[in-house]
Amino acid sequence: MSQKTKIFVASIRPIGDLCRKYAETNLPNNCVMADNPSDADIIFSVIYDKIFSEKFLQNKRCYNFHCGILPYYGGSNSSCWSIINKDNEYGITLHEIDAGLDTGPVIEIRKFRIQENDTAHSLYTKGEKVIFEMFYDWFIKLVSGDYEARPQ
């Protein structure tokens, strides 16, 4: 009997709970949900507040749904910086997690226009919706390894 792949959705926000529920109800037959990130083979980071160490990342596949367009806006508060810098667009970056901070190879950047009346909060809220759409679109492909990533 082969061992099942263990999946964990790491998040500190309600959007992560939605992604976790989606994952639980759409698991491939060869997968189960893990109770914590240490036990997982595949981790999905959805607005998570912890940085995984290089040692922790060994023998795991980890993906991050990052608020902001990489490589321009790594770290947190990218919606604030997009408003301050008067950017025309904002986006969510799906990337592999590596030992750096938001430096892993990019799988997709999904951009949208910043409207004149947008605030950092409204961009963040719009970004959460895009995160769920991307999670929905990519979950099975990422679990099966059916994707391409390019260096930043």
Side-chain angles (χ1 to χ4, degrees):
M1 183 168 127
S2 63
Q3 183 177 350
K4 293 197 175 223
T5 301
K6 295 178 185 174
I7 295 172
F8 186 80
V9 178
S11 185
I12 59 167
R13 300 279 186 232
I15 187 62
D17 296 335
L18 286 174
C19 292
R20 190 176 300 111
K21 287 177 186 170
Y22 179 82
E24 289 169 348
T25 58
N26 291 280
L27 282 174
N29 290 334
N30 63 333
C31 297
V32 295
M33 295 299 290
D35 292 327
N36 62 66
S38 297
D39 293 337
D41 302 303
I42 301 173
I43 297 173
F44 295 91
S45 174
V46 181
I47 308 178
Y48 194 48
D49 64 344
K50 306 262 185 298
I51 298 171
F52 300 120
S53 71
E54 187 171 4
K55 182 178 179 184
F56 177 86
L57 294 170
Q58 290 177 350
N59 303 313
K60 295 183 187 305
R61 284 193 287 136
C62 300
Y63 305 99
N64 186 30
F65 291 85
H66 173 76
C67 295
I69 298 171
L70 292 177
Y72 309 107
Y73 290 116
S76 59
N77 300 316
S78 62
S79 60
C80 296
W81 286 110
S82 290
I83 295 294
I84 290 168
N85 292 333
K86 298 181 182 350
D87 292 340
N88 293 322
E89 58 187 6
Y90 185 69
I92 303 300
T93 303
L94 169 58
H95 67 96
E96 295 175 346
I97 296 176
D98 63 10
L101 181 62
D102 295 327
T103 56
V106 170
I107 298 164
E108 181 189 7
I109 299 174
R110 200 167 288 184
K111 300 176 184 177
F112 55 91
R113 302 277 312 149
I114 296 176
Q115 304 300 316
E116 192 173 310
N117 62 340
D118 271 322
T119 63
H121 179 64
S122 68
L123 287 183
Y124 182 85
T125 301
K126 289 176 183 181
E128 284 185 317
K129 291 177 183 170
V130 173
I131 285 172
F132 186 75
E133 291 168 3
M134 291 175 76
F135 192 91
Y136 176 90
D137 291 345
W138 282 101
F139 178 68
I140 297 297
K141 291 177 184 178
L142 294 171
V143 169
S144 67
D146 181 22
Y147 69 92
E148 290 182 18
R150 67 184 187 291
Q152 290 190 41

